Amino acid sequence: EGEGNSKRQWSLQDFEIGKPLGKGKFGRVYLAREVKSTYIVALKIIFKEQLEKYRIHHQLRREMEIQTSLRHPNILRLYGWFHDSERIFLILEYAYGGELYNELRKHGHFSEEQAATYIASLTTALAYCHEKHVIHRDIKPENLLLDHEGRLKIADFGWSVQSRSKRHTMCGTLDYLAPEMVENKAHDYAVDNWTLGILCYEFLYGAPPFESESQSDTFKRIMKVDLSFPSTPNVSMEARNLISRLLVKDSSKRLSLQKIMEHPWIIKNANPTGTCKK
Ligand SMILES: CC(=O)N[C@H]1CCN(c2c(Cl)cnc3[nH]c(-c4cn(C)nc4C)nc23)C1
């Protein structure tokens, strides 16, 4: 769709709804086809009474403003939106490859090339977000999708914030929370750097580093940065070096996004096209 289309008024009659793709926090996502162009999209349907009940009007509006304004190959596009008396419809890019999480489950863990390619894609997408004053804050495998060429797409900006100042609100699941968020302290962009370390570990070992039986144990391990590297799978020293330079309690000492892109492990293993041969 050209730029022109994204300004036009859409309505339900413009789409044929297909199978449910899954559900986000406050709505279901369906496969859909725009009738005239036969263009395939993902249609996220959110009930207005859900918005009232959970008081997330402002959050949804923020998600829509943010995602409409972001244009990056690794960020899922929000093409437009419309509403009827009881529902709001978000017209989203359809990621043919589905959830990256399923890929990770299927393979157990990724190769160093695949992990480095995904981390590089995430890093460039986050660098782009940060220069637009957006902190995603909820980067986790469930919010990562793959396109038809295996290129990573960040979805679901429901928890992102237009950050002018430090944020205090708690969000996201436990395993990916940085210490300053666990302590409910003011936090800034550097939380996304921490999460990159968590994801890099999870891509290479198949589980996040501080995963524990109970929430309180996970909290304790995060606060202590209780990081250890199993002997299998055999992960390169460079990869472990990058993870160790991201999972640093003092947020000001975490490797910057720029430095991640220049890290030897990324330079050596990441595929510049952002796609991975299966
Ligand atoms: C947090 C969240 O929104 N999660 C999911 C629900 C479906 N949704 C999708 C969104 Cl928003 C966009 N594209 C998708 N593609 C798929 C998908 C494709 N296959 C083969 N299997 C699936 C599943 N899902 C989506 C995002």
Side-chain angles (χ1 to χ4, degrees), residues 21-24 29 42 76 92-96 98-99 143 145 156:
L21 288 170
K23 56 186 179 50
V29 183
L76 201 75
L92 291 159
E93 174 184 357
Y94 174 63
Y96 282 82
E99 297 182 9
N143 289 341
L145 298 167
D156 202 359

Side-chain angles (χ1 to χ4, degrees), residues 34-230:
E34 201 277 316
V35 175
K36 286 196 196 63
S37 63
T38 73
Y39 198 81
I40 298 291
V41 295
L43 204 58
K44 191 171 196 176
I45 304 180
I46 299 163
F47 283 89
K48 287 181 178 175
E49 44 95 19
Q50 290 285 322
L51 290 180
E52 306 304 332
K53 189 173 149 198
Y54 293 103
R55 310 216 38 68
I56 51 162
H57 244 287
H58 60 285
Q59 180 186 318
L60 178 68
R61 180 161 301 289
R62 190 170 55 226
E63 173 183 345
M64 291 154 66
E65 280 155 9
I66 289 173
Q67 212 162 344
T68 320
S69 70
L70 297 177
R71 301 286 161 92
H72 187 278
N74 299 112
I75 295 176
L76 201 75
R77 280 291 310 281
L78 171 59
Y79 295 124
W81 50 282
F82 57 93
H83 63 101
D84 63 13
S85 52
E86 70 268 4
R87 294 164 295 182
I88 293 174
F89 301 85
L90 303 186
I91 309 165
L92 291 159
E93 174 184 357
Y94 174 63
Y96 282 82
E99 297 182 9
L100 183 138
Y101 214 50
N102 298 339
E103 200 67 16
L104 184 57
R105 284 271 168 279
K106 197 162 64 180
H107 295 85
H109 61 86
F110 292 138
S111 68
E112 305 226 2
E113 292 74 20
Q114 213 165 2
T117 303
Y118 291 146
I119 293 298
S121 302
L122 277 164
T123 303
T124 56
L126 286 174
Y128 172 81
C129 288
H130 290 183
E131 83 197 19
K132 298 201 110 175
H133 308 299
V134 172
I135 314 176
H136 190 287
R137 297 195 313 177
D138 195 14
I139 311 278
K140 55 182 189 283
E142 293 87 335
N143 289 341
L144 304 178
L145 298 167
L146 297 167
D147 72 4
H148 60 295
E149 290 176 304
R151 191 175 286 110
L152 180 142
K153 299 271 180 181
I154 303 177
D156 202 359
F157 277 74
W159 288 91
S160 50
V161 286
Q162 198 74 27
S163 89
R164 292 273 167 237
S165 62
K166 293 218 167 201
R167 320 297 315 175
H168 286 270
T169 43
M170 282 291 279
C171 65
T173 56
L174 220 53
D175 283 304
Y176 306 86
L177 284 185
E180 61 272 24
M181 288 178 86
V182 162
E183 282 189 311
N184 212 340
K185 270 187 185 161
H187 58 272
D188 60 10
Y189 296 98
V191 296
D192 288 338
N193 300 53
W194 170 276
T195 305
L196 280 173
I198 298 286
L199 282 169
C200 191
Y201 185 101
E202 181 164 14
F203 289 165
L204 291 167
Y205 291 100
F210 307 119
E211 196 171 54
S212 309
E213 287 312 304
S214 72
Q215 287 210 9
S216 58
D217 287 352
T218 304
F219 268 117
K220 283 184 205 130
R221 295 194 62 201
I222 291 169
M223 294 316 291
K224 271 172 49 190
V225 190
D226 171 22
L227 178 63
S228 58
F229 297 110

Side-chain angles (χ1 to χ4, degrees), residues 18-30:
K19 64 172 182 169
L21 288 170
K23 56 186 179 50
K25 288 182 240 350
F26 299 100
R28 289 183 174 283
V29 183
Y30 294 85

